[in-house]
Amino acid sequence: MGVSNKATTKEEQWKTAVPLEWRVKLLSVDFSQRSDVLCPTRPSAPPPKYVKMTIDFYYFLPSPFCRSVLLTARALGLSLNLKETNVWEGEQNKPEFVALNPQHSVPTLVDGDVTLWESRAICTYLASRYSKDDSLYPQDPKVRARIDALLYFDMGTLWPRFRNTISASPTQESLDQFHEALGWLDGFLGRGRFAAGTDHVTVADHVLVANVASFEAAGRLPGTGQKRKHGDALPFQQPVSRKF
């Protein structure tokens, strides 16, 4: 598959749309040291004992989609083989990466004969395969449906409405629509201690908190409500390193 010079991937479109000063700002946020972004642990649980795995993970830390997978991996105690892929420098267009993932997007995960992209699918896959219990992605059909609904909301509504505000001069309509989606998110978070109405962290929390951190870094949160309601619900502890 040849690599086009046109901006065909989500990452290339992001690079084209996001003003340079915003990209510099996002890169300046050391997400690896943000305990409110990358360190979910349960209040009474000891730090996870990491299990060395032969799972390759292609990622770019400014991407909330990549960080949500890192959150899930950390919660599971998985030590991933990290392969940083700078999409702003076009590293996802290298022939060897395109051969691995024709969509040439990050995150991309390779676990034996399984190759996955799309962060939400990766999070649920890791939770389903490697969790010692089903707390991150419960088998209960009602709870799982609530989690899936939040993942679809994030993918189909929340993130696209944020993306529409990414310009030097966003329209008032795009800002209003994004703030409307944030209001809906606040309503969802009011159903219980955690996003899906559970008393424990699920993959829905990993996905949402990673995105909210990007909203904050980009200066798009109108106040502290969304960050406080969601961030404080997660019992974040311990500094985190970039080695998982």
Side-chain angles (χ1 to χ4, degrees), residues 205-217:
D205 298 285
H206 296 164
V207 169
L208 290 170
V209 78
N211 269 347
V212 169
S214 284
F215 303 162
E216 180 190 33

Side-chain angles (χ1 to χ4, degrees), residues 47-63:
K49 294 181 179 179
Y50 293 110
V51 179
K52 290 289 184 181
M53 307 296 295
T54 55
I55 303 175
D56 291 338
F57 184 59
Y58 298 81
Y59 77 107
F60 187 44
L61 202 57
S63 164

Side-chain angles (χ1 to χ4, degrees), residues 53 55 76 78 111-112 125-133:
M53 307 296 295
I55 303 175
L76 293 168
L78 298 179
D111 182 14
Y125 166 77
L126 290 176
S128 297
R129 179 166 184 181
Y130 292 107
S131 183
K132 295 180 180 179
D133 55 40

Side-chain angles (χ1 to χ4, degrees), residues 14 22 153-154 156-166 170-186 208 210-223 226-227:
W14 170 274
W22 278 36
F153 165 74
D154 177 71
T157 301
L158 185 61
W159 180 261
R161 291 195 179 194
F162 166 68
R163 186 180 58 217
N164 289 341
T165 71
I166 299 174
T171 66
Q172 188 59 49
E173 181 182 13
S174 68
L175 291 171
D176 289 344
Q177 290 179 345
F178 175 55
H179 294 163
E180 180 182 42
L182 288 176
W184 293 336
L185 176 60
D186 266 347
L208 290 170
N211 269 347
V212 169
S214 284
F215 303 162
E216 180 190 33
R220 279 292 179 259
L221 286 186
Q226 289 77 21
K227 177 66 164 49

